[in-house]
Amino acid sequence: MMPQCRALLGEYPEEFFFKVEMNRPRAWAVRTMMASDLDNLTDSVKVPWVDGNRFLESYFKRVHPFHPFLDRDEVRELYEDTMHKGIGIDNSSALVLAILALGATVSDAADLKPELRTGEAFIQQALKILFASWTFTFSGDVIISQALTLCSLYFTYAVEPLMAWRLIHMASTSIQQLFSRCKNLLSSEPEVQTLTRLSWVCFIIESDILAKFHQPRSGIELLVDRLPFPNYGEIPSPENLYALADISARALLNRIHHALFFTDSLTIYSGQSLDNVSSSRIPILNPDASHLRVCEELSRQLEAWYDSIPDVIKPDLNGNPVGSRQTCLLRLRYWSAKRNIFRAFVIYVTSRKWEGEEVPQAVLEMCEICLHASRMFIVMA
């Protein structure tokens, strides 16, 4: 890129050296290991049409509404084409297997043993294909990213959050490689919109996991900061409105965590404060006047988010926990955010020995808000 180097070496096409490296023969030992796993798949993957159709419809009914990043018509066309040809060892087959695994497992009990999950055989076969493909794909691939995202969703349903994190991390880095080659992140071209929808889904899944587990971040949060929300047309369906509301809620939850519980800018990558890396002691926050102002501002933003939700999908925060599953999710997002905003006050009060000293009334009021939000979250769940 430097003019001085070009004067010595000459002009090379963009990403010339990257492409040379990408096309180099890989380590024979690794290729042999991957090939042996894939060879064992050829005769073992058989899905009867009646089961496949049932699992596909279950996916569309129970999973797709929460994460509508795939086009329904394209999924059906891909499914029918793959089933007619027979499930193979290509990336499209892995995507279909991941969809079937989700559709098969989504109704299983959360505490079911892994070997008894309905979609376990499908997900194992999908992962063998994807691990081999992802290992040797150095410039990103849309289908691999989509399939890895679906596999991550599978493990969220199976209540294995760290496996879900590993897969969504892999999908995210692949997406970022693809976006690094996009000239215009704001383009309305179908390829860019596909990546945009996928990026926001990765952002939500990763953020939900990292809110509870301190794992390294993939960088998807920094990418979506530069992306618009997915474009679902001038009149989005309720399903798409739910997705947009969930994106904005998750972004607000991240803002709350960064404002109140992160003490170093590098925590956006590591998930924890560098000051506490060598210590297992949980810091006791001291909610002073400035902290109170931050909490009040975040609470105002939360109420603004709720007020901005279109009436057709707006949840009743205090009523009976009725409505669609997406409505319940938005309701839980609200009460989770409210609880997190004022959680430091409860920690502060319960961590001190007051010895006759009165707790400030303003602090008690913040504790009451937090405890009410916690109770509502439990009731609504």
Side-chain angles (χ1 to χ4, degrees):
M1 294 176 63
M2 295 179 61
Q4 299 94 320
C5 290
R6 288 203 301 270
L8 294 172
L9 301 175
E11 296 284 346
Y12 285 88
E14 187 177 358
E15 297 184 337
F16 173 80
F17 296 104
F18 175 84
K19 292 176 180 176
V20 169
E21 179 64 24
M22 185 174 65
N23 291 322
R24 285 181 56 195
R26 296 297 116 198
W28 176 253
V30 177
R31 279 200 178 275
T32 302
M33 177 186 67
M34 294 295 187
S36 63
D37 283 341
L38 293 179
D39 288 342
N40 294 332
L41 287 176
T42 305
D43 298 326
S44 62
V45 185
K46 292 183 175 62
V47 185
W49 273 95
V50 62
D51 291 335
N53 292 340
R54 178 162 53 89
F55 297 152
L56 179 65
E57 294 309 317
S58 177
Y59 165 80
F60 280 133
K61 181 179 179 181
R62 302 290 297 277
V63 180
H64 181 79
F66 289 95
H67 305 285
F69 66 95
L70 295 175
D71 182 88
R72 287 177 180 265
D73 293 336
E74 291 179 1
V75 168
R76 291 188 187 279
E77 182 179 350
L78 176 64
Y79 166 76
E80 292 177 2
D81 183 60
T82 301
M83 292 291 282
H84 276 297
K85 293 189 301 185
I87 294 177
I89 57 174
D90 55 291
N91 296 331
S92 296
S93 292
L95 179 62
V96 171
L97 284 167
I99 291 172
L100 297 179
L102 273 167
T105 301
V106 69
S107 300
D108 287 345
D111 58 351
L112 196 65
K113 293 181 179 179
E115 62 270 19
L116 298 179
R117 293 175 192 146
T118 314
E120 188 67 13
F122 299 148
I123 208 70
Q124 288 180 5
Q125 293 155 353
L127 288 177
K128 287 182 180 179
I129 298 170
L130 292 170
F131 285 162
S133 297
W134 186 85
T135 301
F136 296 110
T137 302
F138 301 102
S139 57
D141 182 275
V142 173
I143 295 180
I144 292 176
S145 301
Q146 291 172 334
L148 285 170
T149 300
L150 291 171
C151 291
S152 177
L153 280 174
Y154 172 89
F155 285 104
T156 65
Y157 280 100
V159 198
E160 294 189 32
L162 293 183
M163 189 63 189
W165 164 77
R166 170 64 71 192
L167 293 168
I168 206 64
H169 199 285
M170 293 168 63
S172 172
T173 55
S174 179
I175 293 166
Q176 291 175 71
Q177 286 179 308
L178 289 166
F179 257 126
S180 69
R181 290 160 179 79
C182 287
K183 301 299 183 182
N184 181 9
L185 299 183
L186 304 181
S187 171
S188 59
E189 295 179 0
E191 295 81 3
V192 175
Q193 285 301 309
T194 296
L195 285 176
T196 299
R197 291 194 300 271
L198 194 54
S199 297
W200 281 110
V201 170
C202 282
F203 164 75
I204 289 176
I205 297 173
E206 181 179 276
S207 297
D208 283 344
I209 296 171
L210 298 187
K212 303 299 181 184
F213 299 94
H214 286 186
Q215 294 294 99
R217 295 170 182 265
S218 67
I220 196 69
E221 191 171 350
L222 302 178
L223 171 64
V224 297
D225 279 344
R226 299 182 289 131
L227 292 180
F229 278 11
N231 182 1
Y232 292 116
E234 296 182 1
I235 307 177
S237 66
E239 178 181 274
N240 294 333
L241 289 175
Y242 279 117
L244 294 172
D246 193 32
I247 288 172
S248 56
R250 185 62 258 180
L252 176 57
L253 280 163
N254 282 14
R255 200 177 311 137
I256 292 168
H257 281 287
H258 295 160
L260 298 178
F261 304 111
F262 285 175
T263 57
D264 189 283
S265 60
L266 289 181
T267 54
I268 195 169
Y269 300 102
S270 67
Q272 59 181 331
S273 169
L274 296 181
D275 296 335
N276 295 318
V277 168
S278 60
S279 172
S280 60
R281 182 178 65 85
I282 299 176
I284 299 174
L285 301 178
N286 186 4
D288 54 17
S290 62
H291 184 93
L292 180 59
R293 287 194 295 270
V294 172
C295 291
E296 290 175 340
E297 170 58 23
L298 291 171
S299 183
R300 184 197 65 77
Q301 293 181 24
L302 175 61
E303 298 305 323
W305 168 79
Y306 177 70
D307 292 339
S308 68
I309 298 176
D311 290 339
V312 68
I313 65 167
K314 180 172 290 188
D316 180 3
L317 297 176
N318 299 300
N320 295 325
V322 296
S324 68
R325 289 183 172 87
Q326 294 99 311
T327 301
C328 293
L329 176 61
L330 294 183
R331 187 184 292 113
L332 291 174
R333 291 290 197 200
Y334 175 89
W335 289 118
S336 176
K338 181 73 77 172
R339 177 192 62 197
N340 289 342
I341 291 172
F342 297 101
R343 184 173 62 187
F345 295 94
V346 174
I347 296 174
Y348 172 66
V349 170
T350 56
S351 301
R352 281 192 53 184
K353 294 182 179 180
W354 293 91
E355 297 179 350
E357 181 184 357
E358 290 189 2
V359 181
Q361 183 61 33
V363 173
L364 285 177
E365 291 174 358
M366 301 301 103
C367 290
E368 182 179 1
I369 295 174
C370 178
L371 294 175
H372 174 69
S374 299
R375 179 181 180 276
M376 293 301 295
F377 183 92
I378 295 171
V379 170
M380 297 300 169

